[in-house]
Amino acid sequence: MLYVGKNSIMKVKDIFKSKKNDSTSEYVGVFVGKDGSFAFDAISEKRYKGILTGSKIVAGFVVSQKPFDDCEAVNDNNADRLYVEGVVISPRISDVIYDVLHDFIVINCMERGAKWLSLKLDKNSGFAHYLASEDAYKLAGTTVEHIYFDVDVANFD
């Protein structure tokens, strides 16, 4: 007979959380519907790489549990933090995409059970300049080429 102590019983939520930790990276695409609404979903790496030339996906980003290589200030390798980088925005979409990405990046991380996220952007991107004035995205560090933001996903408004 196997005895499992009270504190060693794994909850269903914990099982899914451990499954989440097994993945390395996932590509996410942002789509515009015929009615003008936006939605996001997981996409293949090939579709992600075609965002700038395709017509159906207007933006994308990469979500990972792997900390960034070039900024120790934002690396906190725990199960409650996700790392987002590789934000790509199609030139054929208006700046309204900044508002959409502002929310979708956090919502995507919420759906994955994260409490925190770190975001890496090219320092000179329009999206980086947009987020610099946002209260929810806290400046966490910079390098020569990148700017990093920290977001408290659990308390995001």
Side-chain angles (χ1 to χ4, degrees):
M1 182 167 127
L2 176 67
Y3 175 76
V4 179
K6 182 173 128 181
N7 292 330
S8 62
I9 297 174
M10 193 177 235
K11 297 178 184 173
V12 172
K13 183 171 119 180
D14 295 331
I15 293 169
F16 287 115
K17 193 178 221 180
S18 67
K19 289 278 188 199
K20 175 190 82 166
N21 293 338
D22 292 340
S23 66
T24 55
S25 298
E26 185 170 74
Y27 299 90
V28 178
V30 177
F31 306 83
V32 178
K34 290 181 182 181
D35 63 355
S37 64
F38 291 88
F40 68 87
D41 203 356
I43 59 174
S44 68
E45 182 178 7
K46 183 178 178 181
R47 288 188 80 193
Y48 168 80
K49 289 181 177 181
I51 289 173
L52 297 178
T53 58
S55 61
K56 293 188 181 205
I57 305 173
V58 296
F61 53 92
V62 182
V63 180
S64 177
Q65 290 189 309
K66 182 180 174 227
F68 305 129
D69 292 334
D70 58 350
C71 189
E72 289 300 319
V74 298
N75 290 342
D76 179 17
N77 197 7
N78 69 49
D80 294 332
R81 179 175 296 271
L82 290 173
Y83 297 86
V84 177
E85 63 183 319
V87 174
V88 179
I89 300 172
S90 171
R92 65 185 181 285
I93 191 74
S94 70
D95 288 349
V96 73
I97 196 66
Y98 295 159
D99 288 332
V100 172
L101 283 172
H102 173 279
D103 292 339
F104 279 5
I105 289 172
V106 174
I107 292 168
N108 186 276
C109 290
M110 279 180 184
E111 289 179 352
R112 296 167 188 271
K115 292 184 174 133
W116 291 93
L117 83 86
S118 293
L119 174 64
K120 176 182 178 179
L121 295 172
D122 290 336
K123 195 180 249 182
N124 295 321
S125 72
F127 190 43
H129 291 283
Y130 170 83
L131 291 180
S133 64
E134 291 294 310
D135 292 335
Y137 284 76
K138 307 289 184 211
L139 182 63
T142 61
T143 63
V144 173
E145 296 177 4
H146 299 107
I147 189 166
Y148 299 85
F149 295 96
D150 223 14
V151 181
D152 181 355
V153 174
N155 295 307
F156 186 78
D157 291 328

